[in-house]
């Protein structure tokens, strides 16, 4: 059965700030040999996170999953050159964008919590935060990567095949 469209996700895709930040990331990563952080990556993360959610029967609202995935790396743009870690900046931008796109305060808090812990070591993650973190890792095609010899990911963490 076809799912209903996700209006608030479409709002994010059209959001001026979102487009600006993602455009910056795209420009900056044009010559990058390692994994990139554009819309393709965000959609891979969204879809894998949704599959993880379905597998575990968690039943998290699909719009929350997609919103977290679309926004989790926007801080990498860092247009003001703050030098802050990207997950912290992503939370900052995500809050404003989510409110502009029709998300309620409690939803914004859940999404921002997940984004804020997606890049921190040893965080105790549950629900959306866990799915986002896991999907971010699983989304990378290490098994077909031309830059594998220069990648900082330890061999034990590399994806050796496709799970999702
Ligand atoms: Fe990230
Ligand atoms: Fe990511």
């Amino acid at each position: 059965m076809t799912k209903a469209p996700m209006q608030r996700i479409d709002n994010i895709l059209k959001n001026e700030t979102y487009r600006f930040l993602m455009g910056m990331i795209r420009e900056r990563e044009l010559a990058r040999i390692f994994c990139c952080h554009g819309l393709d990556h965000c959609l891979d993360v969204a879809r894998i996170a949704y599959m993880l959610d379905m597998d575990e029967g968690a039943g998290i609202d699909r719009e929350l999953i997609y919103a977290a995935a679309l926004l989790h790396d926007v801080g990498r743009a860092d247009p003001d050159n703050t030098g802050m870690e990207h997950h912290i900046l992503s939370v900052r931008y995500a809050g404003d964008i989510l409110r502009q796109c029709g998300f309620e305060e409690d939803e914004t808090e859940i999404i921002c919590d997940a984004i804020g812990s997606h890049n921190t070591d040893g965080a105790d993650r549950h629900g959306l935060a866990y799915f986002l973190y896991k999907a971010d890792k699983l989304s990378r095609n290490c098994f077909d990567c031309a830059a594998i010899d220069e990648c900082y990911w330890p061999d034990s963490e590399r994806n050796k095949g496709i799970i999702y």
Side-chain angles (χ1 to χ4, degrees), residues 17-49:
T17 307
Y18 185 67
R19 295 186 67 83
F20 168 71
L21 295 169
M22 292 303 279
M24 265 193 88
I25 292 171
R26 185 167 48 217
E27 284 286 306
R28 219 173 257 181
E29 294 188 337
L30 280 176
R32 184 178 164 89
I33 60 165
F34 300 108
C35 289
C36 291
H37 305 88
L39 192 57
D40 288 351
H41 168 59
C42 296
L43 282 174
D44 284 344
V45 173
R47 290 169 177 146
I48 294 171

Side-chain angles (χ1 to χ4, degrees), residues 7-126:
Q7 184 57 55
R8 295 184 297 178
I9 297 305
D10 291 340
N11 292 348
I12 294 175
L13 292 172
K14 289 183 211 142
N15 180 270
E16 205 177 311
T17 307
Y18 185 67
R19 295 186 67 83
F20 168 71
L21 295 169
M22 292 303 279
M24 265 193 88
I25 292 171
R26 185 167 48 217
E27 284 286 306
R28 219 173 257 181
E29 294 188 337
L30 280 176
R32 184 178 164 89
I33 60 165
F34 300 108
C35 289
C36 291
H37 305 88
L39 192 57
D40 288 351
H41 168 59
C42 296
L43 282 174
D44 284 344
V45 173
R47 290 169 177 146
I48 294 171
Y50 183 55
M51 286 188 252
L52 290 167
D53 172 86
M54 284 197 293
D55 275 3
E56 299 210 2
I60 296 172
D61 184 335
R62 202 158 50 105
E63 282 194 318
L64 300 197
I65 296 173
Y66 274 69
L70 287 183
L71 292 163
H72 79 285
D73 278 336
V74 286
R76 286 184 177 271
D78 194 7
D80 300 320
N81 290 311
T82 65
M84 288 169 68
E85 288 187 88
H86 81 271
H87 61 282
I88 296 170
L89 267 183
S90 293
V91 168
R92 195 172 286 181
Y93 286 111
D96 291 339
I97 294 170
L98 288 163
R99 288 179 199 103
Q100 288 166 18
C101 293
F103 287 84
E104 303 293 336
E105 262 329 294
D106 57 332
E107 296 175 314
T108 299
E109 200 176 311
I110 292 167
I111 295 165
C112 285
D113 275 354
I115 293 173
S117 74
H118 90 268
N119 191 41
T120 49
D121 284 333
D124 189 19
R125 303 176 184 87
H126 304 279

